[in-house]
Amino acid sequence: MAKATSFDIAQLAGVSQPTVSRALSGSGTVSEATRKRVEAIARQLNYKVDKNASNLRRRHSDTLALLLFEDPTSDDSMINPFFLSMLGSITRTCAQRGYDLLVSFQQMSANWHVDFEDSRKADGLILLGYGDYEAYRARIDDLVRQGTHFVRWGSVQPDQPGITIGCDNVDGGRAATRHLIGHGRRRIAFLGEASSHYPEFLDRHRGYCAAHREAGIIPHPALQADAITTEQAGKEAMRAILARGQRPDAVFAASDLIAVGAMHALAEAGFSVPGDVAVVGFDDITAASLASPPLTTVAQDVRRAGELLVDALLAQIRGETPEGAKLPARLVVRRSSGA
């Protein structure tokens, strides 16, 4: 009788061969019932895991994987331009550390966290972008359970799984709003979904509120409108505020793309920027300096971000326990804020 293989077990258990591999390796992505069924069949077939082959598959590849997640955009790229600006720093740092970089575009609907464990194409993951954090969080928990080396860019919070590198979004939001208040603006709109689904936007809104408190101003609830990171969302959010009969004298947008969309909506409604309404964004993407008028924004240190992401991931691969990091934000003043 031929020696049993993992494919034989898969056929008898009614699961895929990768599921058999994960079950026999103790992966947390396989249910307890499936694991027990696979283990029972393996015992019946006298199947033994080939430790040498397993170790060979787990050898370092000297390659890191960068996963960019789909994001609604005005073109067909589906990639947030802010993350494209970070790509150069990550690639350069990998080369300096002697690692290759595998860049992959992943849809949020795909089982990317399971696919990576099966493929072993790289020694660890760098995650950029995530959409709705509440939906994304479960997959991050899976990565932690299965022992995958990974690091992500996002809002740095004490209760998050894994290692996160991010910007000081609260301070950035405070700096942007202080700037507007310091130039006489008092009715400042906030555009961006300030909720747990978008924690970076939520932190920027917290900074916006903190600056108001410091100045003894109570922001009007009707001056806030939800928006995701697209020009169209910014345009619609600005239109919604104007439709309520509100007349802000300034706008702080949670991203540059939202800010650009807001400026288009203001122009359509007959308002001048910055004469009638001052506008500040966040991210300092290339389009910010090319906007009309050029956009005042909050810059994130993409060069240092790329270095920290790569170095934190390599530390994990070496068996160390790195900590997350929060990088300072920097206000970049241009004509849109009237300064």
Side-chain angles (χ1 to χ4, degrees):
M1 184 176 178
K3 182 179 178 181
T5 68
S6 58
F7 291 96
D8 298 324
I9 299 173
Q11 183 176 9
L12 293 172
V15 298
S16 67
Q17 188 274 337
T19 297
V20 170
S21 297
R22 292 196 299 274
L24 295 178
S25 66
S27 170
T29 63
V30 179
S31 69
E32 183 68 12
T34 298
R35 184 182 64 78
K36 289 182 176 179
R37 184 165 74 254
V38 168
E39 289 177 344
I41 294 172
R43 286 194 296 270
Q44 291 172 10
L45 298 180
N46 197 30
Y47 176 82
K48 302 293 184 184
V49 176
D50 188 336
K51 297 295 185 182
N52 289 330
S54 178
N55 289 337
L56 182 63
R57 286 193 299 270
R58 293 172 185 271
R59 285 173 56 187
H60 287 181
S61 63
D62 292 330
T63 299
L64 304 181
L66 171 64
L67 269 60
L68 285 160
F69 295 96
E70 63 179 2
D71 218 347
T73 58
S74 57
D75 55 21
D76 294 330
S77 71
M78 300 298 286
I79 299 175
N80 188 320
F82 171 71
F83 294 127
L84 289 178
S85 68
M86 198 182 291
L87 180 59
S89 174
I90 292 173
T91 303
R92 184 169 53 254
T93 305
C94 282
Q96 292 171 348
R97 307 297 189 265
Y99 273 73
D100 292 325
L101 184 68
L102 174 66
V103 180
S104 180
F105 178 56
Q106 301 290 328
Q107 295 182 339
M108 283 304 293
S109 58
N111 288 326
W112 50 266
H113 59 306
V114 174
D115 294 341
F116 170 76
E117 185 189 23
D118 292 340
S119 66
R120 297 290 174 183
K121 293 178 181 177
D123 300 332
L125 292 174
I126 299 172
L127 308 177
L128 299 183
Y130 51 83
D132 186 335
Y133 180 73
E134 294 293 333
Y136 171 79
R137 170 68 187 258
R139 297 186 177 190
I140 295 299
D141 289 334
D142 284 342
L143 289 178
V144 173
R145 280 194 294 270
Q146 66 193 34
T148 298
H149 299 120
F150 76 95
V151 64
R152 55 179 291 270
W153 175 266
S155 175
V156 181
Q157 304 293 339
D159 60 342
Q160 286 175 324
I163 305 300
T164 303
I165 308 296
C167 170
D168 190 338
N169 291 290
V170 174
D171 190 62
R174 183 188 290 112
T177 311
R178 278 177 176 168
H179 172 72
L180 291 168
I181 293 173
H183 285 82
R185 311 291 175 157
R186 292 297 181 270
R187 291 182 52 79
I188 305 171
F190 179 86
L191 306 185
E193 183 169 339
S195 74
S196 60
H197 294 275
Y198 296 88
E200 287 163 291
F201 286 7
L202 179 58
D203 282 347
R204 292 167 195 177
H205 184 259
R206 286 172 174 149
Y208 161 89
C209 293
H212 277 83
R213 286 194 301 271
E214 292 169 1
I217 303 170
I218 301 175
H220 198 294
L223 289 175
Q224 191 274 328
D226 289 345
I228 59 173
T229 306
T230 67
E231 286 186 35
Q232 185 60 32
K235 186 181 294 186
E236 292 172 357
M238 193 71 253
R239 286 172 177 167
I241 287 178
L242 296 176
R244 297 170 190 162
Q246 299 298 318
R247 293 296 181 265
D249 58 13
V251 171
F252 171 40
S255 80
D256 288 344
L257 290 176
I258 294 173
V260 170
M263 288 198 292
H264 289 319
L266 288 166
E268 290 173 357
F271 294 96
S272 68
V273 176
D276 297 320
V277 184
V279 178
V280 176
F282 205 110
D283 286 338
D284 197 24
I285 61 175
T286 301
S289 62
L290 302 176
S292 181
L295 181 64
T296 294
T297 185
V298 177
Q300 304 185 70
D301 190 345
V302 294
R303 182 192 62 79
R304 184 61 179 145
E307 294 173 352
L308 289 178
L309 285 164
V310 172
D311 287 342
L313 183 55
L314 295 180
Q316 289 181 65
I317 293 169
R318 294 192 298 267
E320 301 169 13
T321 308
E323 295 183 353
K326 189 181 294 185
L327 296 172
R330 177 174 57 89
L331 185 69
V332 178
V333 179
R334 301 190 180 103
R335 285 198 294 117
S336 71
S337 61

